[in-house]
Amino acid sequence: MIIVPEKEIATLLGRTESYDAVEQVFAAMAAGDAYNFPVVREAIGHANALYGFKGGFDRAGMTLGLKAGGYWPNNLETHGLINHQSTVFLFDPDTGRVRAVVGGNLLTALRTAAASSVSINHLARKDAKVIGMVGAGHQATYQLRAALEQRSFEKVIGWNLHPEMLPNIANIASEAGLRFEAVELPGMVEADVIITITSSFAPILMSDHVSNGTHVACMGTDTVGKQEVGVDLITRATVFTDEVAQSITLGECQHVVAEGSKTEADIRQIGEVINGTHPGRQTDEEVTLFDGTGVGLQDLAVAGAVVDLAVERGIAIEVDF
Ligand code: NAD
């Protein structure tokens, strides 16, 4: 069995490798070569923790396994650890033997940023110049860095419920040599691409905050009850997702489907666009929207890439198990 500790991930996996792994697995999902298992997520009744599993099998990439982990709200204060904790376990699809244990914390941030990047690459207008960020927490910094590589952006605009957090994303813009401007939500009409990445339980970004031709990547809603954008915006947009089943149950589309203004059939997998079986954006006026719910196969894809790199570079820890 191979172990790749959390501390090695940053030196092994960059944004390019994460992008490639996630794009490939989205393509495999849409081709019917890869599928996710039902998600388990439970309040364990201890330490206020939410714990669960996301797993799947990718026959194209021969990756089988699961990510186990969740959210421990008191970790930072009480233990000096980050609140989100996860570990990926990979198994040999031919025998069922455990193949690898991989630290999953940074991987989660990288694979989530890769997902919105894949959506921007395939759905945003080629001439996109202004990117808008709704959210400025931990994940927002990864989202923005990865997104900036997809188009020749000239300016970053941002809104956050807690304005004192905006320097997190302003610093990323500045590192990239771009102007940053804090805006109110109606100011988002200037953006050609918008990423929402908050832990909101009520709509923030509404249809009249978004101009025609914009691509919106909704990345924060990964749980029943969460919501970042108005049903009016989703109703107006051409909607794509990582996995339709997750999108309508725990993703941003749970609300539009419950309200009845879109059905499951109106929501397409981003993998179809990658595979060329769906045209994706068809006009410069269309609003496209990606509901990135976060699937287990994304975690397995980046973990598989890490294991290969760790073995290649001689830093994988091998254990006789
Ligand atoms: P964080 O705690 O670092 O940041 C939270 C962000 O949400 C901040 O910008 C904060 O100001 C904002 N926020 C908090 N309460 C809000 C409210 N009521 N209304 C509007 N904004 C509010 O968290 P993070 O690690 O950046 O994660 C952000 C979200 O992304 C979480 O909901 C998390 O579950 C989700 N997430 C999704 C995926 C995925 O694959 N889709 C992966 C990782 C994280």
Side-chain angles (χ1 to χ4, degrees):
M1 179 179 80
I2 288 165
I3 299 173
V4 187
E6 183 68 45
K7 67 179 166 58
E8 302 290 1
I9 307 295
T11 56
L12 287 168
L13 198 80
R15 286 189 293 280
T16 307
E17 295 87 356
S18 306
Y19 180 101
D20 291 345
V22 168
E23 187 181 58
Q24 273 167 30
V25 83
F26 283 166
M29 283 164 59
D33 290 330
Y35 66 102
N36 292 287
F37 306 151
V39 175
V40 173
R41 197 162 164 87
E42 297 285 329
I44 61 171
H46 176 76
N48 272 328
L50 281 175
Y51 175 72
F53 315 106
K54 279 185 169 182
F57 177 44
D58 174 6
R59 194 185 304 278
M62 286 301 272
T63 318
L64 171 71
L66 59 92
K67 178 169 83 169
Y71 186 67
W72 276 258
N74 309 319
N75 264 6
L76 192 59
E77 223 165 272
T78 315
H79 304 289
L81 295 170
I82 63 169
N83 293 350
H84 289 276
Q85 288 291 331
S86 60
T87 307
V88 180
F89 298 85
L90 297 177
F91 296 85
D92 179 346
D94 292 322
T95 63
R97 289 196 72 200
V98 64
R99 175 168 179 243
V101 178
V102 185
N105 295 346
L106 178 59
L107 282 187
T108 301
L110 289 170
R111 64 76 147 149
T112 308
S116 57
S117 264
V118 167
S119 86
I120 293 166
N121 189 25
H122 288 279
L123 294 170
R125 292 190 339 265
K126 298 282 180 228
D127 64 350
K129 292 281 180 269
V130 178
I131 181 163
M133 295 296 299
V134 175
H138 173 73
Q139 186 65 49
T141 60
Y142 290 91
Q143 294 290 325
L144 180 56
R145 262 204 198 97
L148 290 178
E149 290 167 352
Q150 300 308 324
R151 291 290 184 271
S152 301
F153 290 110
E154 293 175 354
K155 184 178 172 186
V156 180
I157 60 177
W159 177 90
N160 197 50
L161 181 68
H162 310 100
E164 68 279 7
M165 293 169 82
L166 283 172
N168 291 340
I169 52 173
N171 291 341
I172 308 286
S174 147
E175 270 173 31
L178 300 179
R179 278 180 297 144
F180 175 81
E181 193 185 319
V183 296
E184 295 302 323
L185 286 164
M188 282 289 156
V189 290
E190 197 192 340
D192 305 304
V193 170
I194 300 174
I195 299 176
T196 62
I197 181 75
T198 71
S199 36
S200 175
F201 279 81
I204 307 165
L205 187 77
M206 309 306 285
S207 188
D208 59 4
H209 301 148
V210 176
S211 293
N212 281 343
T214 303
H215 173 63
V216 186
C218 302
M219 304 305 297
T221 297
D222 56 359
T223 304
V224 175
K226 279 189 183 170
Q227 185 173 13
E228 296 189 288
V229 307
V231 164
D232 58 349
L233 175 58
I234 306 208
T235 304
R236 173 182 164 205
T238 310
V239 179
F240 301 86
T241 188
D242 40 29
E243 190 193 77
V244 176
Q246 273 199 193
S247 171
I248 63 171
T249 50
L250 52 80
E252 197 60 48
C253 287
Q254 61 186 286
H255 309 287
V256 76
V257 169
E259 205 175 270
S261 44
K262 267 201 179 5
T263 67
E264 187 174 336
D266 298 319
I267 303 159
R268 309 307 296 245
Q269 287 188 84
I270 185 81
E272 295 179 59
V273 184
I274 298 166
N275 291 337
T277 55
H278 187 288
R281 166 180 293 280
Q282 295 185 67
T283 73
D284 279 353
E285 292 302 297
E286 188 177 1
V287 172
T288 52
L289 185 145
F290 175 66
D291 181 8
T293 66
V295 292
L297 282 170
Q298 278 171 260
D299 298 297
L300 306 189
V302 285
V306 156
V307 170
D308 292 346
L309 287 164
V311 170
E312 202 179 292
R313 296 191 198 163
I315 59 169
I317 300 168
E318 297 208 23
V319 177
D320 194 10
F321 181 78

